[in-house]
Amino acid sequence: MTARATAATAASGMARPQRLQAQGVHVAFGGIKALTGVDLTIQRGQVMGLIGPNGAGKTTLVNVLTGFQPPTQGRVLLQDRPLTGMKARDVARAGVARSFQAARLFRDMTVQENLIVAGLGAGLGRRAATERARDILDWIGCAPIAQTQCDGLSYGDERRISIARALAMGPSFALLDEPASGMNESECAALMQVISELPARFDCGVLLIEHNMTVIMGVCQRIHVLDGGRSLAEGTPDEVQADPAVRRAYLGEKAEKTALVI
Amino acid sequence: MQERGMIAVLEKAWPVLVLVLGLLLAVVLADAYGSVLMKRTVTDALIKIVIVVGLYIFIGNTGIVSFGHIGFAGIAAYFATWMTCCAMMKPITMTGLPDFLRLETYSLWFTALVAVTAAGLVALIIGLVLMRLSGLAASISTLAALFIFHAVYANWDNVTMGRASIVGIPTYVTLWVGLGGAVLAIVVAYLYQISAFGLAARAARDDEVAAQASGISLYWNRLIPFVLSGMVVGLGGVLQVHFMGTISVNAFYLNLTFITLAMLVVGGMRSLGGAVVGVVVLSSIADVFRRLEAGVDLAGTRLSTPTGTQEMFLAALMLLILIFRKDGLMGRRELRLPRLLGGRAAGAR
Amino acid sequence: MRNFLQVLVDAVALGSLLALVALAIGLVFGVMRLINFAQGDYITVGAYALVVPTASLTPALFLGALPVPLMVAGVLFVVVLLALATERVAFRPLRDSDPATLLISSFAVSYFLQHLVMLIHTGRPKSVGIGQALTTPIDIMGLRVPGIQVVTMAVTAVLLIALVLFLKRTSMGIQMRAAAENFQMARLLGVPANRVIAMAFVISGVLGGAVSLLLIVQTGTLDIRMGLMPVIFAFFATVIGGMGSLVGAALGGFLVGGASVLLQSFLPDGLRPFRDAFVFGLVIVILLVRPKGLIVIGAARERV
Ligand SMILES: Nc1ncnc2c1ncn2[C@@H]1O[C@H](COP(=O)(O)OP(=O)(O)OP(=O)(O)O)[C@@H](O)[C@H]1O
Ligand SMILES: [Mg+2]
């Protein structure tokens, strides 16, 4: 309850943006076209899934949305405000937080300090940042490890803390890059629960990149499919599952014969 | 309940408290029982602590190795010299100085204040430019800054007397003044380290990318410690000239850079305690070698090690530490309140 | 015009010398991300090998007493041996450290060697007369050029060509280039890391020895800091050129050499003493505009 209160009031009084949009985004690395004309809209209050085979361009898209990768073409809008060309740090402060495929925690700090840094980065004072960090750690059940040094964390804890750190910014949008990779089944189920509660608790929109179809189908209101840098389909989980192009591309030929396993 | 609060405060202040009490004890002992030479050795070590702790503020918190900070010590030291030295000679030998320096002499407190501010200003100007860089490029450009300082001061004959020494600077730095400087440096470093700014700087050090994604500015969180450490190192420079009574530009060049860096590496680049421990260890070793080089009587014959052995030993020790104990004697930790006194177990901070 | 040509010759001669040192630094950096500050002390030790190790200020010649080919071979041998020894003892155990740590370690090695020389020869400068015939100017189309400048340029040209042939034609050279591009990848592809790195040090030793001889003929003075200025300038030359790029290192050497000679000739009198400050300032400017130097090679930015 307190986590929700402090996080929701954090967005400095201004009306929270309704959507985060990528419009006609192209990214090329030399000859490699990582993204070709991708349009994507994340609504606040929703969990949007982003799936696609390895190398599809999912991480690149998150990098574009968070200012780490300038698009070769196209733009990024937060509500009506263009984010393209802004530095990653300013995008973060505008309310777009992210986690990384490799957790990238601040290794020489404690868990709680990791979250405090994000709070400070979002513009909170030391005390408010500490309070928010405690609330979030309580909420995701990591309070017992709050004072643990991050270089000694288990893999699962590392991933959870990296999400918690993104949330500690009090973001309007949280973009999570494969948060469940490498987790075992029970950890995964717990994480699913956490993620599905995020939009309501933190009054934010979520973009979830995930290879585990159970997780994706279970928590997302909408799903966007990328393949080879192009958008293949977007829709509700049911629509996407039914889409023949998705089955062909993402699940491979085998999947056409066997039913999609959920 | 109140006892818990006390312990929390004690725990927070402990890393500084231990260092300060340790130094105090050393100074009291040296003052009471030490020879003149011993007193000078300890004072010199205290001044080195100011410089190395100053280095630590930047290097430890940002992870960027700076080779240029001794230049800030030099800047401050020359300011102190111009403001206090040799009222008779100054107008003749340093004709390039503006009148308010050439013809006037200032009080020591005011001088220290101005000199440290000057070092901070120069650090600010250099930092505004250099802190855009990361990693190796940043390190290299700090080295370039040191060379620029040296090239300018060694050739600015009518202001610095070029490579010659300037003598006649008032010497007021005793054991106790040295202790005051060291304590000030340690407290400043610790306050910065536990502040929100320090935390943000270490976030940028641990992971530049994740820090940016957390809304942390790499630039400002490097610039702040750069300036602060420039000022503390500058204070070290001021104490140094008022201890030696003379100054020459080569006193603030590669040798001092190397020695202070070696102290930091040996103690542990990522620990304030390490900065102090490194100075204590290397100063003690240097002292032993000084005695050996002066010669010792062994079974009736006088033996002495040749000059140069001390430096070779120092370099070898530094290499050994880099190879076998990369984080220095102190590792990445601070001295922690022992459990006996209510401190928490290792791993918690 | 003549004056300008004279300046140009000076610039190329100094540039050649710096290019040799810069190449040595760049080569080693390429294979192990080490900026080897001790390269300067290789030069110093090579020069001191010419005389008998004593504290005397007018020492008898040692390697310097041999006939020229043997003397050259002897100096190169000593410096190569020294370079290999430092690699084995100090740098190899640190191979996986970050570049800043490696740079610190090379400072330590440099400090060690400098004081070792001091221990043996004392810190006072000594004079040696070797190849003095080369210092008399020779007339080339109306320009009076000291013979040593011609020799320096010729030696640099020969060594550059030899190095290029080595890197392009021999399998060791190709492996070395591969390692400089991407060390981890090269290692996975079976490039023998130890041999390649050792080879880089051998070459840096040969280049260092050559510079020892050229310098000592030029100055006639042994000094424990004689390697310092060349290594500082060359160090910045490699940085300007682009760390790890050999073309960049050579280019940087000529640029820095050229810049200092030109500044020396054309700066107004009042500013001339501060020439070096301008050169180092140039380094900072170039780093700001191109943090990776003029010629960027290898993997670019870290992936997020
Ligand atoms: N910085 C970069 N430089 C060059 N190519 C890159 C870079 N980043 C990504 N790529 C290429 O762009 C393509 C898309 O990569 P991206 O990391 O976005 O895929 P992904 O969908 O996140 O894959 P995965 O599921 O493996 O994480 C890949 O071919 C990748 O090799
Ligand atoms: Mg990815």
Side-chain angles (χ1 to χ4, degrees):
Chain A
M1 187 56 225
T2 42
R4 178 181 191 167
T6 51
T9 48
S12 61
M14 280 200 295
R16 299 204 133 210
Q18 223 17 266
R19 37 179 199 281
L20 176 65
Q21 277 181 292
Q23 291 183 340
V25 166
H26 292 253
V27 172
F29 296 109
I32 306 169
K33 287 191 174 160
L35 290 175
T36 315
V38 174
D39 293 294
L40 174 82
T41 304
I42 310 165
Q43 301 281 351
R44 184 155 59 89
Q46 274 195 353
V47 180
M48 160 80 91
L50 180 59
I51 62 175
N54 284 14
K58 306 180 294 292
T59 300
T60 305
L61 183 55
V62 168
N63 288 348
V64 170
L65 288 168
T66 51
F68 279 99
Q69 174 65 54
T72 334
Q73 247 185 69
R75 58 181 190 161
V76 176
L77 290 178
L78 182 63
Q79 194 78 18
D80 299 315
R81 179 180 172 195
L83 298 185
T84 337
M86 268 165 65
K87 283 193 228 137
R89 177 214 176 208
D90 298 325
V91 175
R93 288 174 79 98
V96 183
R98 68 173 293 179
S99 72
F100 295 91
Q101 208 163 337
R104 304 198 83 126
L105 298 182
F106 306 124
R107 305 191 65 81
D108 279 354
M109 294 185 186
T110 65
V111 165
Q112 181 168 312
E113 283 171 333
N114 262 266
L115 272 67
I116 292 175
V117 166
L120 294 172
L124 294 186
R126 182 72 179 255
R127 183 160 301 178
T130 309
E131 207 164 292
R132 187 192 277 178
R134 290 220 181 101
D135 286 345
I136 293 173
L137 288 174
D138 268 345
W139 179 63
I140 59 165
C142 288
I145 55 168
Q147 303 300 332
T148 308
Q149 211 76 16
C150 281
D151 53 9
L153 289 183
S154 74
Y155 193 76
D157 282 340
E158 249 181 24
R159 316 241 33 131
R160 283 196 295 169
I161 301 307
S162 78
I163 298 172
R165 185 177 62 189
L167 296 173
M169 297 213 60
S172 309
F173 294 92
L175 318 183
L176 309 179
D177 198 348
E178 305 198 15
S181 74
M183 282 188 171
N184 63 34
E185 223 157 276
S186 69
E187 285 175 324
C188 215
L191 189 71
M192 249 169 78
Q193 184 60 35
V194 165
I195 290 175
S196 57
E197 287 178 27
L198 292 183
R201 275 200 176 260
F202 293 88
D203 190 22
C204 65
V206 174
L207 181 74
L208 174 64
I209 299 181
E210 187 47 67
H211 281 298
N212 184 330
M213 296 309 281
T214 323
V215 173
I216 282 284
M217 298 295 165
V219 302
C220 297
Q221 279 83 54
R222 293 182 72 76
I223 294 175
H224 190 104
V225 188
L226 278 182
D227 184 25
R230 291 171 191 278
S231 298
L232 211 57
E234 192 188 305
T236 63
D238 290 335
E239 287 165 5
V240 168
Q241 264 181 76
D243 192 311
V246 174
R247 298 185 145 232
R248 250 196 321 280
Y250 185 64
L251 300 153
E253 261 111 55
K254 269 188 303 178
E256 287 198 280
K257 294 175 215 127
T258 50
L260 183 49
V261 191
I262 297 180
Chain B
M1 204 58 223
Q2 206 186 350
E3 195 188 340
R4 283 270 296 281
M6 288 278 291
I7 288 181
V9 170
L10 187 61
E11 188 160 27
K12 190 139 210 179
W14 187 255
V16 167
L17 213 58
V18 175
L19 297 175
V20 169
L21 290 178
L23 294 180
L24 180 66
L25 184 68
V27 167
V28 167
L29 287 179
D31 201 18
Y33 305 111
S35 61
V36 176
L37 189 63
M38 189 62 181
K39 283 179 189 159
R40 281 192 76 79
T41 306
V42 175
T43 311
D44 183 67
L46 289 165
I47 295 169
K48 289 287 192 320
I49 287 179
V50 178
I51 296 179
V52 176
V53 164
L55 279 180
Y56 161 80
I57 292 176
F58 180 70
I59 298 179
N61 288 291
T62 65
I64 298 171
V65 179
S66 165
F67 296 98
H69 269 71
I70 292 306
F72 303 134
I75 301 265
Y78 270 97
F79 256 92
T81 305
W82 295 328
M83 290 174 72
T84 61
C85 109
C86 45
M88 303 299 288
M89 293 300 293
K90 203 154 64 161
I92 308 158
T93 52
M94 291 174 249
T95 51
L97 284 176
D99 283 349
F100 68 90
L101 288 175
R102 192 163 56 97
L103 304 174
E104 314 277 336
T105 298
Y106 296 88
S107 79
L108 296 174
W109 279 104
F110 180 67
T111 298
L113 205 68
V114 170
V116 168
T117 311
L121 273 179
V122 175
L124 176 66
I125 292 165
I126 292 181
L128 280 171
V129 178
L130 296 193
M131 292 303 110
R132 298 180 188 292
L133 297 167
S134 288
L136 193 58
S139 290
I140 291 170
S141 57
T142 57
L143 187 58
L146 176 69
F147 289 136
I148 291 177
F149 160 77
H150 186 264
V152 171
Y153 274 52
N155 293 296
W156 203 0
D157 292 342
N158 61 2
V159 168
T160 62
M161 293 182 62
R163 285 164 206 271
S165 297
I166 301 176
V167 294
I169 305 163
T171 52
Y172 65 85
V173 177
T174 59
L175 271 176
W176 293 96
V177 175
L179 179 68
V183 170
L184 180 64
I186 291 171
V187 169
V188 166
Y190 191 63
L191 289 179
Y192 168 74
Q193 171 167 326
I194 61 174
S195 75
F197 297 111
L199 196 61
R202 290 197 300 284
R205 171 195 78 187
D206 281 1
D207 193 322
E208 282 185 13
V209 169
Q212 285 170 291
S214 302
I216 300 294
S217 158
L218 303 184
Y219 182 62
W220 291 106
N221 285 299
R222 284 172 182 163
L223 187 58
I224 294 168
F226 192 75
V227 173
L228 189 63
S229 78
M231 293 174 77
V232 173
V233 170
L235 175 64
V238 172
L239 294 176
Q240 170 104 359
V241 281
H242 289 299
F243 172 60
M244 303 295 291
T246 77
I247 187 172
S248 71
V249 30
N250 280 332
F252 296 95
Y253 197 35
L254 290 174
N255 268 350
L256 188 58
T257 299
F258 180 78
I259 298 213
T260 48
L261 215 55
M263 288 169 164
L264 190 56
V265 166
V266 168
M269 272 197 269
R270 298 211 168 167
S271 151
L272 173 58
V276 176
V277 168
V279 176
V280 172
V281 169
L282 289 201
S283 298
S284 312
I285 291 176
D287 189 52
V288 170
F289 270 100
R290 231 184 327 267
R291 285 158 203 267
L292 290 180
E293 282 171 16
V296 282
D297 283 318
L298 247 181
T301 49
R302 193 154 182 82
L303 294 174
S304 66
T305 51
T307 27
T309 28
Q310 178 194 335
E311 287 82 359
M312 286 165 65
F313 183 86
L314 178 72
L317 178 68
M318 187 172 173
L319 275 172
L320 287 176
I321 292 272
L322 284 173
I323 294 172
F324 294 109
R325 205 178 155 94
K326 192 171 164 297
D327 290 322
L329 296 175
M330 283 290 296
R332 299 182 171 207
R333 315 221 170 254
E334 296 302 345
L335 297 158
R336 230 182 258 112
L337 186 62
R339 262 200 271 191
L340 198 64
L341 296 176
R344 276 175 293 181
R349 188 157 59 176
Chain C
M1 187 62 201
R2 165 150 318 157
N3 185 23
F4 180 74
L5 277 181
Q6 192 81 53
V7 169
L8 201 66
V9 172
D10 285 347
V12 174
L14 181 60
S16 310
L17 203 68
L18 294 180
L20 289 181
V21 188
L23 272 173
I25 293 178
L27 202 64
V28 169
F29 184 85
V31 293
M32 68 175 293
R33 311 283 109 174
L34 160 70
I35 299 177
N36 192 5
F37 219 76
Q39 182 71 32
D41 302 274
Y42 299 168
I43 295 171
T44 310
V45 171
Y48 271 91
L50 289 168
V51 300
V52 176
T54 60
S56 152
L57 285 190
T58 47
L61 291 177
F62 176 51
L63 288 180
L66 299 172
V68 172
L70 280 181
M71 173 183 83
V72 172
V75 168
L76 295 189
F77 179 75
V78 167
V79 181
V80 165
L81 217 60
L82 177 69
L84 280 174
T86 55
E87 192 275 328
R88 186 69 192 83
V89 175
F91 299 132
R92 189 178 293 185
L94 286 166
R95 202 175 280 170
D96 298 322
S97 308
D98 59 302
T101 308
L102 282 166
L103 179 53
I104 296 180
S105 75
S106 85
F107 271 104
V109 171
S110 162
Y111 199 72
F112 183 92
L113 291 176
Q114 190 184 324
H115 286 92
L116 180 65
V117 175
M118 183 152 138
L119 187 105
I120 299 171
H121 294 272
T122 78
R124 285 166 300 177
K126 306 179 180 191
S127 65
V128 279
I130 283 176
Q132 270 147 336
L134 285 173
T135 48
T136 48
I138 41 179
D139 231 331
I140 305 176
M141 293 178 297
L143 283 178
R144 291 174 60 76
V145 184
I148 183 62
Q149 286 197 346
V150 180
V151 175
T152 304
M153 290 186 257
V155 168
T156 304
V158 169
L159 284 174
L160 271 180
I161 291 168
L163 190 59
V164 168
L165 287 181
F166 167 78
L167 289 171
K168 297 253 157 164
R169 295 287 163 79
T170 67
S171 67
M172 185 48 125
I174 291 167
Q175 288 178 329
M176 197 174 282
R177 279 192 298 147
E181 285 282 333
N182 186 338
F183 193 77
Q184 291 311 324
M185 182 60 80
R187 220 167 173 176
L188 289 178
L189 294 177
V191 171
N194 285 347
R195 290 225 331 259
V196 167
I197 291 178
M199 194 63 200
F201 274 87
V202 168
I203 298 174
S204 80
V206 170
L207 295 170
V211 174
S212 301
L213 290 164
L214 293 171
L215 261 184
I216 204 69
V217 173
Q218 228 166 61
T219 65
T221 314
L222 289 169
D223 180 342
I224 57 169
R225 281 175 210 87
M226 64 184 287
L228 186 63
M229 276 334 262
V231 85
I232 289 174
F233 278 91
F235 163 64
F236 288 122
T238 45
V239 172
I240 290 178
M243 297 301 313
S245 153
L246 294 181
V247 181
L251 179 74
F254 284 107
L255 267 178
V256 170
S260 29
V261 171
L262 289 179
L263 285 171
Q264 179 71 31
S265 321
F266 298 116
L267 270 181
D269 279 345
L271 289 178
R272 196 168 299 159
F274 305 113
R275 180 198 70 178
D276 292 356
F278 283 95
V279 178
F280 300 138
L282 187 73
V283 172
I284 292 183
V285 171
I286 290 183
L287 275 180
L288 284 171
V289 183
R290 297 187 66 113
K292 305 241 165 193
L294 296 176
I295 297 181
V296 181
I297 59 143
R301 285 198 309 148
E302 177 198 17
R303 284 195 194 181
V304 176

mmCIF file of all heavy atoms in Angstrom, chain A residues 29 32 34 53-60 101 178 211, chain C residues 303, ligand 1:
data_model
loop_
_atom_site.group_PDB
_atom_site.id
_atom_site.type_symbol
_atom_site.label_atom_id
_atom_site.label_comp_id
_atom_site.label_asym_id
_atom_site.label_seq_id
_atom_site.Cartn_x
_atom_site.Cartn_y
_atom_site.Cartn_z
ATOM 1 N N PHE A 29 23.024 -0.916 -38.079
ATOM 2 C CA PHE A 29 24.425 -0.941 -37.611
ATOM 3 C C PHE A 29 25.276 -1.277 -38.813
ATOM 4 O O PHE A 29 25.376 -2.443 -39.178
ATOM 5 C CB PHE A 29 24.632 -2.008 -36.537
ATOM 6 C CG PHE A 29 23.852 -1.753 -35.290
ATOM 7 C CD1 PHE A 29 22.768 -2.557 -34.963
ATOM 8 C CD2 PHE A 29 24.197 -0.734 -34.435
ATOM 9 C CE1 PHE A 29 22.067 -2.343 -33.798
ATOM 10 C CE2 PHE A 29 23.488 -0.509 -33.272
ATOM 11 C CZ PHE A 29 22.421 -1.316 -32.957
ATOM 12 N N ILE A 32 23.954 -4.083 -41.046
ATOM 13 C CA ILE A 32 22.873 -4.849 -40.398
ATOM 14 C C ILE A 32 21.682 -3.953 -40.113
ATOM 15 O O ILE A 32 21.824 -2.928 -39.444
ATOM 16 C CB ILE A 32 23.355 -5.438 -39.057
ATOM 17 C CG1 ILE A 32 24.624 -6.247 -39.266
ATOM 18 C CG2 ILE A 32 22.257 -6.292 -38.425
ATOM 19 C CD1 ILE A 32 25.311 -6.629 -37.975
ATOM 20 N N ALA A 34 18.887 -3.609 -37.904
ATOM 21 C CA ALA A 34 18.376 -4.188 -36.659
ATOM 22 C C ALA A 34 16.880 -3.915 -36.516
ATOM 23 O O ALA A 34 16.145 -4.729 -35.957
ATOM 24 C CB ALA A 34 19.134 -3.631 -35.472
ATOM 25 N N PRO A 53 12.309 -13.939 -32.051
ATOM 26 C CA PRO A 53 13.470 -14.824 -31.886
ATOM 27 C C PRO A 53 14.730 -14.024 -31.562
ATOM 28 O O PRO A 53 14.730 -12.801 -31.667
ATOM 29 C CB PRO A 53 13.593 -15.512 -33.247
ATOM 30 C CG PRO A 53 12.801 -14.679 -34.192
ATOM 31 C CD PRO A 53 11.770 -13.955 -33.410
ATOM 32 N N ASN A 54 15.788 -14.709 -31.213
ATOM 33 C CA ASN A 54 17.059 -14.047 -30.911
ATOM 34 C C ASN A 54 17.496 -13.170 -32.084
ATOM 35 O O ASN A 54 17.392 -13.586 -33.229
ATOM 36 C CB ASN A 54 18.154 -15.082 -30.647
ATOM 37 C CG ASN A 54 18.007 -15.692 -29.273
ATOM 38 O OD1 ASN A 54 16.969 -15.537 -28.642
ATOM 39 N ND2 ASN A 54 19.033 -16.363 -28.825
ATOM 40 N N GLY A 55 17.955 -11.989 -31.767
ATOM 41 C CA GLY A 55 18.405 -11.081 -32.815
ATOM 42 C C GLY A 55 17.282 -10.382 -33.545
ATOM 43 O O GLY A 55 17.518 -9.739 -34.569
ATOM 44 N N ALA A 56 16.071 -10.477 -33.040
ATOM 45 C CA ALA A 56 14.929 -9.862 -33.723
ATOM 46 C C ALA A 56 14.969 -8.338 -33.618
ATOM 47 O O ALA A 56 14.334 -7.641 -34.406
ATOM 48 C CB ALA A 56 13.624 -10.395 -33.139
ATOM 49 N N GLY A 57 15.665 -7.832 -32.625
ATOM 50 C CA GLY A 57 15.744 -6.376 -32.476
ATOM 51 C C GLY A 57 15.021 -5.866 -31.245
ATOM 52 O O GLY A 57 14.820 -4.663 -31.088
ATOM 53 N N LYS A 58 14.666 -6.756 -30.337
ATOM 54 C CA LYS A 58 13.891 -6.356 -29.149
ATOM 55 C C LYS A 58 14.705 -5.406 -28.263
ATOM 56 O O LYS A 58 14.232 -4.324 -27.887
ATOM 57 C CB LYS A 58 13.497 -7.614 -28.335
ATOM 58 C CG LYS A 58 12.781 -8.676 -29.146
ATOM 59 C CD LYS A 58 12.408 -9.879 -28.312
ATOM 60 C CE LYS A 58 13.607 -10.681 -27.785
ATOM 61 N NZ LYS A 58 14.354 -11.381 -28.853
ATOM 62 N N THR A 59 15.907 -5.832 -27.931
ATOM 63 C CA THR A 59 16.747 -4.983 -27.082
ATOM 64 C C THR A 59 17.042 -3.667 -27.785
ATOM 65 O O THR A 59 17.027 -2.597 -27.161
ATOM 66 C CB THR A 59 18.058 -5.716 -26.746
ATOM 67 O OG1 THR A 59 17.730 -6.912 -26.059
ATOM 68 C CG2 THR A 59 18.948 -4.864 -25.879
ATOM 69 N N THR A 60 17.295 -3.736 -29.081
ATOM 70 C CA THR A 60 17.563 -2.509 -29.820
ATOM 71 C C THR A 60 16.385 -1.547 -29.708
ATOM 72 O O THR A 60 16.567 -0.339 -29.530
ATOM 73 C CB THR A 60 17.854 -2.840 -31.295
ATOM 74 O OG1 THR A 60 18.915 -3.775 -31.348
ATOM 75 C CG2 THR A 60 18.228 -1.591 -32.064
ATOM 76 N N GLN A 101 19.177 -6.701 -19.937
ATOM 77 C CA GLN A 101 19.240 -8.147 -20.147
ATOM 78 C C GLN A 101 20.248 -8.793 -19.189
ATOM 79 O O GLN A 101 19.987 -9.816 -18.607
ATOM 80 C CB GLN A 101 19.639 -8.402 -21.607
ATOM 81 C CG GLN A 101 19.115 -9.695 -22.151
ATOM 82 C CD GLN A 101 19.177 -9.714 -23.675
ATOM 83 O OE1 GLN A 101 19.201 -8.682 -24.329
ATOM 84 N NE2 GLN A 101 19.197 -10.910 -24.229
ATOM 85 N N GLU A 178 13.916 -9.130 -20.646
ATOM 86 C CA GLU A 178 14.074 -10.524 -20.202
ATOM 87 C C GLU A 178 14.318 -10.650 -18.702
ATOM 88 O O GLU A 178 15.337 -11.204 -18.281
ATOM 89 C CB GLU A 178 15.208 -11.202 -20.982
ATOM 90 C CG GLU A 178 14.980 -11.096 -22.484
ATOM 91 C CD GLU A 178 15.803 -12.097 -23.297
ATOM 92 O OE1 GLU A 178 16.326 -13.052 -22.698
ATOM 93 O OE2 GLU A 178 15.890 -11.918 -24.516
ATOM 94 N N HIS A 211 11.198 -14.552 -23.317
ATOM 95 C CA HIS A 211 11.158 -15.715 -24.213
ATOM 96 C C HIS A 211 10.198 -16.766 -23.703
ATOM 97 O O HIS A 211 9.690 -17.578 -24.480
ATOM 98 C CB HIS A 211 12.565 -16.324 -24.360
ATOM 99 C CG HIS A 211 13.430 -15.557 -25.305
ATOM 100 N ND1 HIS A 211 13.136 -15.395 -26.620
ATOM 101 C CD2 HIS A 211 14.582 -14.872 -25.097
ATOM 102 C CE1 HIS A 211 14.065 -14.662 -27.206
ATOM 103 N NE2 HIS A 211 14.956 -14.319 -26.291
ATOM 104 N N ARG C 303 28.058 -2.681 -26.180
ATOM 105 C CA ARG C 303 26.636 -2.899 -26.409
ATOM 106 C C ARG C 303 25.864 -2.843 -25.115
ATOM 107 O O ARG C 303 26.336 -3.284 -24.082
ATOM 108 C CB ARG C 303 26.412 -4.270 -27.045
ATOM 109 C CG ARG C 303 26.767 -4.266 -28.502
ATOM 110 C CD ARG C 303 26.201 -5.476 -29.163
ATOM 111 N NE ARG C 303 26.829 -5.642 -30.472
ATOM 112 C CZ ARG C 303 26.513 -6.609 -31.294
ATOM 113 N NH1 ARG C 303 25.608 -7.507 -30.934
ATOM 114 N NH2 ARG C 303 27.095 -6.705 -32.453
HETATM 115 N N1 LIG D 1 25.729 -2.125 -30.959
HETATM 116 C C1 LIG D 1 25.516 -2.969 -31.987
HETATM 117 N N2 LIG D 1 26.380 -2.966 -33.032
HETATM 118 C C2 LIG D 1 26.170 -3.794 -34.094
HETATM 119 N N3 LIG D 1 25.136 -4.642 -34.200
HETATM 120 C C3 LIG D 1 24.256 -4.693 -33.186
HETATM 121 C C4 LIG D 1 24.388 -3.854 -32.041
HETATM 122 N N4 LIG D 1 23.366 -4.108 -31.194
HETATM 123 C C5 LIG D 1 22.620 -5.066 -31.813
HETATM 124 N N5 LIG D 1 23.142 -5.410 -33.004
HETATM 125 C C6 LIG D 1 22.574 -6.363 -33.944
HETATM 126 O O1 LIG D 1 21.241 -6.009 -34.138
HETATM 127 C C7 LIG D 1 20.418 -7.155 -34.185
HETATM 128 C C8 LIG D 1 19.329 -7.079 -33.145
HETATM 129 O O2 LIG D 1 19.898 -7.230 -31.863
HETATM 130 P P1 LIG D 1 19.061 -7.188 -30.511
HETATM 131 O O3 LIG D 1 20.044 -7.289 -29.406
HETATM 132 O O4 LIG D 1 18.179 -6.007 -30.537
HETATM 133 O O5 LIG D 1 18.192 -8.507 -30.584
HETATM 134 P P2 LIG D 1 17.245 -9.155 -29.481
HETATM 135 O O6 LIG D 1 15.935 -9.304 -30.117
HETATM 136 O O7 LIG D 1 17.299 -8.375 -28.221
HETATM 137 O O8 LIG D 1 17.921 -10.567 -29.276
HETATM 138 P P3 LIG D 1 18.050 -11.489 -27.970
HETATM 139 O O9 LIG D 1 16.807 -12.215 -27.822
HETATM 140 O O10 LIG D 1 19.199 -12.359 -28.292
HETATM 141 O O11 LIG D 1 18.348 -10.564 -26.823
HETATM 142 C C9 LIG D 1 21.330 -8.360 -34.008
HETATM 143 O O12 LIG D 1 21.655 -8.835 -35.302
HETATM 144 C C10 LIG D 1 22.555 -7.758 -33.369
HETATM 145 O O13 LIG D 1 23.693 -8.491 -33.720
#
